[in-house]
């Protein structure tokens, strides 16, 4: 099964989010940056953005999320990158879409959630999900956020 | 709570949503939107009322009703006041930065969500630029 295979390949032991992101980058063959900078109160809990020319990607997760929740959000967005999904701001702006676009969007979200949950289950036996804070320190060095 | 009493611009904005969603028209459009709004606000909104909003005949529109209409079409209240970046603004930003969205985990976007999306797209562009050339020379728009 595709999801199970990917989980086995991508989940590091012990589970460190940065290492997981590096594995995702290796899987898609492009650089992937993780930036936990999404503000609370905006409704946004994850976003993955890709450069059209280079294929490099950035995954955003909530700034104040505990590591296990951050891992879930990063896992969810990773699935979109692994599957090469593409959506517009309009696609994302409403949960109430009918017809084919709505069905497709809901199916993709469902798959991404399944993958994220499997990531969490696979990571659990290796202990608590942790972040080595490299991403946060690197982004802080660029002055992207104060945290 | 009601929207401003001079509703010609709001009516035009509402009508624009219908035109955008159903460019060839749809005789059931008002009823469809009315059903959704009724579900959201918890009291009956009929299709004639929706039609009267679209044509500027409603002097004071309840904000929850307007919000529900916007929500149906994937827009927020800010769409009617123009305070947050609209889909077109975000699309222009994506085009200018050469970025595309792969995944998006969010409830229906609020005005704050749209501003946040705009902010992180700029942030992603900065990260891409820094990664491509630490001396900041790149073809990405800053």
């Amino acid at each position: 099964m595709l999801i199970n295979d990917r989980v086995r390949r991508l989940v590091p032991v012990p589970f460190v989010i940065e290492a997981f992101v590096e594995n995702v980058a290796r899987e898609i063959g492009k650089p992937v940056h993780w930036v936990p900078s999404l503000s609370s109160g905006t409704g946004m809990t994850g976003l993955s953005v890709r450069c059209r020319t280079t294929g490099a990607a950035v995954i955003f997760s909530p700034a104040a999320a505990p590591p296990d929740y951050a891992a879930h959000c990063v896992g969810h967005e990773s699935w979109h990158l692994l599957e090469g999904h593409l959506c517009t701001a309009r696609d994302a702006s409403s949960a109430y879409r009918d017809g084919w676009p709505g069905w497709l969007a809901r199916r993709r979200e469902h798959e991404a959630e399944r993958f994220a949950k499997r990531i969490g289950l696979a990571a659990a036996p290796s202990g608590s999900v942790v972040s080595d804070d490299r991403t946060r320190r690197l982004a802080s060095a660029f002055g992207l956020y104060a945290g | 709570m009601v929207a401003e009493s001079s509703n010609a611009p709001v009516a035009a904005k509402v009508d624009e949503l219908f035109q955008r969603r159903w460019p060839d028209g749809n005789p059931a459009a008002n009823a469809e939107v009315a059903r959704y709004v009724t579900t959201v606000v918890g009291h009956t909104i009929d299709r004639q009322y929706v039609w009267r909003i679209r044509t500027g005949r409603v002097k004071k529109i309840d904000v929850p009703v307007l919000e529900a209409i916007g929500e149906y079409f994937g827009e927020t209240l800010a769409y009617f006041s123009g305070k947050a970046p609209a889909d077109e603004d975000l699309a222009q930003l994506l085009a200018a930065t050469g970025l595309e969205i792969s995944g998006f985990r969010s409830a229906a976007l609020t005005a704050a969500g749209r501003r946040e999306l705009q902010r992180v797209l700029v942030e992603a562009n900065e990260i891409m630029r820094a990664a491509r050339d630490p001396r900041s020379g790149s073809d990405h728009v800053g």
Side-chain angles (χ1 to χ4, degrees):
Chain A
M1 191 179 178
L2 183 60
I3 287 182
N4 289 341
D5 290 344
R6 278 193 171 145
V7 169
R8 269 193 293 273
R9 277 201 304 276
L10 299 176
V11 171
V13 180
F15 191 93
V16 177
I17 298 176
E18 284 83 351
F20 171 73
V21 172
E22 284 170 12
N23 290 345
V24 170
R26 195 173 303 115
E27 179 94 353
I28 65 175
K30 304 288 181 186
V32 178
H33 309 274
W34 170 46
V35 182
S37 74
L38 292 177
S39 304
S40 60
T42 61
M44 287 178 61
T45 54
L47 175 72
S48 49
V49 178
R50 192 170 44 220
C51 174
R52 277 199 294 271
T53 52
T54 67
V58 180
I59 293 174
F60 290 95
S61 64
D68 53 351
Y69 181 54
H72 183 88
C73 299
V74 170
H76 179 109
E77 293 307 321
S78 295
W79 180 260
H80 290 303
L81 291 174
L82 290 161
E83 287 294 294
H85 290 164
L86 176 65
C87 72
T88 65
R90 172 164 289 279
D91 289 334
S93 66
S94 175
Y96 190 83
R97 292 270 176 218
D98 52 8
W100 168 252
W103 181 85
L104 184 61
R106 284 191 292 275
R107 182 182 166 184
R108 286 176 170 181
E109 290 306 306
H110 177 68
E111 287 176 347
E113 276 299 287
R114 277 183 63 208
F115 182 66
K117 285 175 184 171
R118 295 305 302 268
I119 295 292
L121 288 170
S126 66
S128 297
V129 173
V130 296
S131 160
D132 69 5
D133 222 25
R134 273 180 291 171
T135 302
R136 187 176 294 273
R137 281 185 279 116
L138 181 63
S140 295
F142 280 109
L144 293 172
Y145 52 85
Chain B
M1 199 163 46
V2 293
E4 55 192 300
S5 58
S6 173
N7 276 326
V10 174
K13 287 276 193 184
V14 172
D15 196 53
E16 182 186 311
L17 294 174
F18 280 79
Q19 301 295 337
R20 198 193 295 165
R21 174 66 179 81
W22 292 289
D24 299 325
N26 176 359
N30 294 329
E32 165 79 9
V33 173
R35 267 197 302 276
Y36 179 75
V37 174
T38 295
T39 306
V40 172
V41 301
H43 58 85
T44 304
I45 298 295
D46 61 30
R47 62 187 169 85
Q48 287 90 351
Y49 187 73
V50 172
W51 172 248
R52 289 175 59 223
I53 289 175
R54 289 177 64 182
T55 52
R57 292 186 173 95
V58 178
K59 295 273 189 249
K60 294 181 178 179
I61 307 170
D62 286 342
V63 168
V65 170
L66 194 59
E67 191 169 25
I69 291 173
E71 189 177 288
Y72 177 88
F73 293 100
E75 296 289 355
T76 65
L77 271 182
Y79 162 80
F80 301 102
S81 62
K83 284 179 184 168
D87 289 337
E88 291 73 18
D89 300 320
L90 295 171
Q92 282 176 12
L93 179 58
L94 287 169
T97 55
L99 298 174
E100 58 189 13
I101 296 173
S102 179
F104 191 92
R105 195 163 183 267
S106 172
L109 273 183
T110 61
R114 284 173 181 274
R115 286 191 291 272
E116 179 70 351
L117 178 56
Q118 188 177 41
R119 183 189 71 74
V120 295
L121 287 175
V122 171
E123 186 175 331
N125 187 47
E126 291 295 321
I127 292 166
M128 298 287 190
R129 183 164 57 184
R132 282 164 65 102
D133 183 353
R135 294 162 301 177
S136 88
S138 93
D139 56 8
H140 282 279
V141 175

